[in-house]
Amino acid sequence: AAGDLVGRRVLDVGCGSGELAAAVAALGGRVAAMDACPEILGRASRGAPLGVELVRADGQALPFRDGAFDLATSVLVLHYLPDPPRALSEVFRVLRPGGRLVLADRITTEEEPGRGEHLRIERLRHPRLPRLHAAGELERLLLGAGFSLGSVEDHTWTLSLERWLRGLEEGVAGEIRRSLDRRRDGELGGIALEGPDPLRLRIRL
């Protein structure tokens, strides 16, 4: 989706532990990997290759000049931010004219009660999760920030339920299992449990 990265100035918004930034650098990009969490940046710094600059910053107030980057990436970050419109406007600001944003995020359904139940389950894992966007909302946010839409692709992230529940208290994990089991083999917003174990999460790129 990003195209040729050689020599391009790339901002990774919400870099996490740095895997995406490292991959972009390996393909020739010059990367500023940004995250607001010092602990996460500490983990990223241990494996950061040449060509990656780590920056602690708020995604809703980027410390970069207008037009500083050719490309921005944001993967599984937007639904965690308190103010997504502001964050996307900031990304738009720091991209040069004609620059591109490659964004991937979790999505849910427009419909109730599936949407509310999906968010309830996700908040059992992350109590401070502000929201989950439906696909149409995600597109409206991008257009509202000044972007035009290029390619739009839907993907499924499949992983084991145990991996998804790892680290949760037993009671919380049990409540999530029961909630998903009631809708086994059925779509619940943007999440579904298939068969004995695989969990499917919807991603829009």
Side-chain angles (χ1 to χ4, degrees):
D4 183 10
L5 294 171
V6 175
R8 299 181 73 187
R9 300 162 298 165
V10 182
L11 173 65
D12 186 20
V13 180
C15 67
S17 53
E19 290 92 342
L20 178 60
V24 170
L27 293 170
R30 294 181 287 128
V31 190
M34 185 226 85
D35 206 287
C37 177
E39 292 82 6
I40 287 177
L41 281 178
R43 292 199 296 271
S45 67
R46 291 193 284 273
L50 292 175
V52 175
E53 175 192 5
L54 297 173
V55 180
R56 183 184 176 190
D58 182 352
Q60 295 156 141
L62 296 174
F64 306 106
R65 61 176 174 79
D66 295 2
F69 297 96
D70 302 302
L71 172 75
T73 57
S74 176
V75 175
L76 305 180
V77 172
L78 191 68
H79 63 286
Y80 288 114
L81 299 180
D83 191 346
R86 182 178 173 188
L88 289 172
S89 294
E90 276 289 274
V91 173
F92 187 85
R93 177 185 66 78
V94 301
L95 284 171
R96 65 167 174 80
R100 299 181 69 193
L101 166 65
V102 177
L103 181 143
D105 205 32
R106 299 279 310 282
I107 56 172
T108 190
T109 180
E110 302 268 5
E111 306 298 326
E112 296 292 355
R115 178 177 184 150
E117 178 65 3
H118 182 191
L119 185 58
R120 184 187 73 82
I121 291 170
E122 297 278 357
R123 282 178 173 163
L124 288 170
R125 291 183 71 241
H126 294 290
R128 295 182 181 178
L129 181 70
R131 72 190 57 76
L132 288 168
H133 296 109
E137 290 175 319
L138 197 58
E139 293 178 9
R140 289 191 290 274
L141 284 170
L142 288 163
L143 293 172
F147 292 98
S148 58
L149 296 179
S151 64
V152 177
E153 303 173 9
D154 286 321
H155 296 269
T156 300
W157 179 14
T158 303
L159 70 165
S160 75
L161 179 60
E162 291 308 312
R163 177 185 168 192
W164 199 63
L165 298 178
R166 189 177 299 155
L168 296 179
E169 294 181 2
E170 185 176 340
V172 173
E175 172 60 22
I176 292 174
R177 286 193 188 93
R178 289 189 292 273
S179 297
L180 290 171
D181 200 55
R182 287 194 290 268
R183 296 290 294 268
R184 183 175 291 275
D185 299 322
E187 185 72 31
L188 181 62
I191 187 172
L193 186 64
E194 282 191 340
D197 185 53
L199 189 70
R200 293 189 298 110
L201 307 176
R202 292 175 62 200
I203 308 288
R204 174 151 289 196
L205 174 65

